[in-house]
Amino acid sequence: QVHVVESGGGLVQAGGSLRLSCVASGSGFSINNMDWYRQAPGKRRELVARITSGGTTNYADSVKGRFTISRDNAKNTVYLQMNNLKPEDTAVYYCNTRAVVTGKVYEYSYWGQGTQVTVSS
């Protein structure tokens, strides 16, 4: 019903930039929050940034001032612009879409398979 795909990851040197994209596809759904999470080896998955349907944003302290989350509701797409990347940002980045499907009452989480971001020093 809702399929989520991330893209834009890659290998960059410290100080470089990447732009991640996440597209939610399917039919008959309405998206609420769209989130970016990341998970580094040996660590728990953590929330990096969140944007509501109204455009309100939240960021983890570790990325404030460097990352920017945005969305295009017409395209069911959320972006994460990552600037001044650090080796500590190395992780698999996941998109989480909270959506209500036609015919359902409550919202559910829909996860992508992740995109690898590697930052070298």
Side-chain angles (χ1 to χ4, degrees), residues 6 18 20 35-50 59-64 66-69 80-96 111-119:
E6 306 98 333
L18 285 173
L20 306 183
D35 304 336
W36 283 101
Y37 286 76
R38 68 185 181 187
Q39 187 166 25
K43 297 186 178 181
R44 295 174 59 86
R45 186 172 299 186
E46 64 173 343
L47 177 64
V48 176
R50 168 173 291 164
Y59 298 93
D61 289 341
S62 60
V63 306
K64 287 181 179 178
R66 300 188 298 119
F67 291 9
T68 302
I69 187 171
L80 186 67
Q81 178 66 47
M82 305 185 295
N83 298 326
N84 191 25
L85 284 162
K86 304 176 180 179
E88 307 90 84
D89 296 318
T90 296
V92 177
Y93 284 70
Y94 298 91
C95 177
N96 178 40
W111 292 88
Q113 294 187 357
T115 184
Q116 177 70 50
V117 172
T118 302
V119 184

Side-chain angles (χ1 to χ4, degrees), residues 100-114:
V100 178
V101 176
T102 299
K104 307 296 183 181
V105 178
Y106 305 105
E107 70 174 22
Y108 298 90
S109 292
Y110 300 91
W111 292 88
Q113 294 187 357

